[in-house]
Amino acid sequence: MNTTLPSQGMSCYPPDGGAAPGQAAGAPHLPRTGALLEAALAAKPALAALSTEEKKAVLLSMADALEANAPAILAANAQDLEAAQGTIAPVMQDRLRLTQGRIADMAAGVRAVAALPDPVGRTLASHTLPNGLQVNKVSVPLGVIAIIYESRPNVTSDAASLTFQAGSVCVLRGGKESIHSNTAIVDALHQALEKHHLPAALVSLVTDTTRDSANELMRAVGYVDLLIPRGGASLIQSCVDNAKVPCIQTGTGICHLYVDGDADLDKALTIVDNAKTSRPSVCNAAEVCLVHRDIAPAFLPQLWDRLVDRRRAAGQPPVELRLDPEALALLGKGSPAGPADFDTEFLDYILAVRVVGSVEEAIDHINRHSTGHSEAILTQTRAHADLFTKLVDSAAVYVNASTRFTDGGQFGLGCEMGISTQKLHARGPMGLEELTSYKYIILGDGQIR
């Protein structure tokens, strides 16, 4: 992998500050990422020329390369984990950690993407006008997709496989916490590209992990067709505030569970346990539990027993319950919720709990405090479930199921690029369809207007 930038005096940008070859006038001078982005643009035709079967063969080679390079990837990951000791919380180190099983899952994700229908070149709609013109709406690649992400190295292979299958070049910019892991993963993917005589720039890694390189990607008008940030609220807000290129907001998840007055307690406890503790450091983990007043006296002590006492007895991290005044009074123990606790993505073994009087009150709370990611109602009343799914304005809304299912793989999309929490141009898990655009192809026979 070559990410060396041109030395001073050898820049591939015009000396007068004009556009690089093939770029629109006004494209910015990007010293850290410039050569990388030019190489990415130059690689686009090689990908566009591939057939569906050729793309599939390359993806299967990528999956094989990940597994074959597992020892090198794990060794690189060990370097990142060693550097992370004492600098990031243990629960966040879990996001960074790779194992043989997780590498196998990464390879399986790539193979799942390879098995999906090619999203490029599909006729989405077609009609013929009275004058005989045939108007076809056809799916096309976005072009160059840049992804800025933090400490999860599996994003590297997920993003590379999805963009490749969608016909786009990817420019990956991970965090400093995972730089060794990401480099080893991209090296493996480059082996697959080399095997098929394709340019390595189809999967490009920005090895400069300073804020400057991220800012350059945000400003890379004429080079980057879409920017996708995957990470915490501060990263996403920075992109929203500073990006000059099209940007999709993903990731931040203040996810809610509402336990209705007639909920099945056993099912509710299992769902809350799963949504909070199965992997608390991810964006689809629950952060807030709302409990109907009618069921709270019975449910809250059982919730404490399940999430605190049993976990402590089993040697597992207990969940800290941060309780509103009514819940605190009912339990007689726990931590009082602070002013910000219902607006915080904890990404830890912490759960904010509030007692509400109705499904309408729960819906109102969620729509005021949610980040639009995933919410769930646990109920046996169909009318309450219908009202909840109709009025809660989030990307994924569940009835009697854990929010942890909000994931491209779980939704049958193969991998995912991220969870979009906005409404344009994508919402929810972003799979292949969300990584394409479309154009109109009009077929005529001499028609003039």
Side-chain angles (χ1 to χ4, degrees):
M1 178 183 60
N2 182 9
T3 55
T4 304
L5 301 182
S7 60
Q8 198 170 25
M10 296 177 60
S11 174
C12 42
Y13 289 90
D16 62 359
Q23 291 309 300
H29 182 80
L30 304 170
R32 288 171 177 78
T33 61
L36 202 72
L37 290 172
E38 287 186 3
L41 285 170
K44 285 171 59 177
L47 180 52
L50 297 181
S51 68
T52 296
E53 288 306 310
E54 287 170 331
K55 286 197 296 184
K56 180 176 180 178
V58 175
L59 287 167
L60 293 177
S61 293
M62 286 182 175
D64 292 342
L66 287 171
E67 292 177 332
N69 285 271
I73 294 171
L74 290 173
N77 185 244
Q79 288 182 268
D80 290 330
L81 287 168
E82 183 178 359
Q85 299 304 311
T87 62
I88 62 176
V91 71
M92 299 305 289
Q93 290 178 32
D94 179 62
R95 293 166 68 101
L96 174 61
R97 181 174 291 104
L98 291 176
T99 63
Q100 193 75 40
R102 288 184 179 179
I103 293 175
D105 289 342
M106 290 161 56
V110 176
R111 293 189 180 104
V113 170
L116 293 172
D118 191 337
V120 177
R122 294 182 298 132
T123 300
L124 305 175
S126 180
H127 63 276
T128 301
L129 301 176
N131 63 6
L133 284 177
Q134 184 182 11
V135 181
N136 304 293
K137 183 179 181 181
V138 179
S139 61
V140 297
L142 283 166
V144 175
I145 301 176
I147 306 98
I148 301 176
Y149 53 109
E150 294 177 338
S151 60
R152 294 177 64 183
N154 66 291
V155 173
T156 304
S157 61
D158 288 357
S161 61
L162 282 166
T163 51
F164 189 90
Q165 177 74 312
S168 287
V169 179
C170 70
V171 177
L172 303 163
R173 194 279 191 188
K176 64 180 183 296
E177 300 87 358
S178 56
I179 185 59
H180 296 97
S181 306
N182 292 338
T183 300
I185 292 167
V186 170
D187 284 345
L189 300 179
H190 282 176
Q191 291 175 23
L193 292 172
E194 182 179 359
K195 176 181 176 181
H196 292 269
H197 310 291
L198 293 169
L202 290 174
V203 178
S204 298
L205 178 67
V206 178
T207 55
D208 175 4
T209 59
T210 66
R211 186 171 296 178
D212 289 339
S213 67
N215 288 336
E216 285 173 358
L217 291 179
M218 297 178 204
R219 298 193 303 267
V221 177
Y223 298 92
V224 170
D225 295 288
L226 178 67
L227 173 65
I228 303 175
R230 285 192 59 166
S234 60
L235 168 63
I236 293 167
Q237 192 59 50
S238 177
C239 290
V240 170
D241 291 342
N242 299 305
K244 303 297 184 184
V245 299
C247 177
I248 290 182
Q249 301 176 49
T250 70
T252 305
I254 301 178
C255 302
H256 295 74
L257 301 168
Y258 167 56
V259 184
D260 201 14
D262 68 346
D264 181 307
L265 289 187
D266 290 336
K267 288 181 181 177
L269 287 166
T270 299
I271 290 171
V272 175
D273 189 357
N274 176 263
K276 179 70 261 183
T277 70
S278 61
R279 201 170 181 191
S281 62
V282 295
C283 63
N284 56 22
E287 305 290 17
V288 178
C289 183
L290 305 175
V291 183
H292 193 285
R293 185 167 289 118
D294 291 348
I295 208 171
F299 181 76
L300 290 176
Q302 293 184 53
L303 183 68
W304 181 278
D305 177 66
R306 182 72 168 257
L307 298 187
V308 182
D309 291 341
R310 290 193 200 180
R311 290 183 60 81
R312 184 179 287 121
Q316 300 170 328
V319 176
E320 179 186 352
L321 300 183
R322 297 189 180 176
L323 307 160
D324 83 331
E326 186 170 350
L328 187 63
L330 284 169
L331 264 178
K333 53 188 173 183
S335 305
D341 283 333
F342 291 98
D343 295 293
T344 299
E345 185 182 31
F346 298 113
L347 301 174
D348 204 345
Y349 291 100
I350 301 170
L351 184 67
V353 180
R354 180 189 171 194
V355 175
V356 295
S358 65
V359 64
E360 291 85 0
E361 187 178 350
I363 292 168
D364 177 68
H365 176 101
I366 291 169
N367 286 338
R368 284 187 292 110
H369 296 273
S370 170
T371 53
H373 194 295
S374 301
E375 330 295 347
I377 181 173
L378 315 180
T379 187
Q380 297 184 78
T381 302
R382 177 62 182 269
H384 289 182
D386 290 345
L387 186 68
F388 191 89
T389 57
K390 182 178 181 179
L391 297 185
V392 168
D393 190 18
S394 293
V397 184
Y398 293 85
V399 177
N400 295 323
S402 171
T403 58
R404 289 281 285 112
F405 286 105
T406 307
D407 172 89
Q410 295 294 320
F411 278 15
L413 305 178
C415 302
E416 70 179 33
M417 186 62 77
I419 311 294
S420 171
T421 54
Q422 65 186 51
K423 300 179 183 179
L424 297 175
H425 107 109
R427 195 179 200 191
M430 293 177 60
L432 290 173
E433 181 179 345
E434 289 75 26
L435 295 178
T436 60
S437 184
Y438 57 82
K439 65 183 177 185
Y440 287 95
I441 298 176
I442 302 94
L443 305 179
D445 186 25
Q447 290 91 338
I448 62 173
R449 180 173 177 178

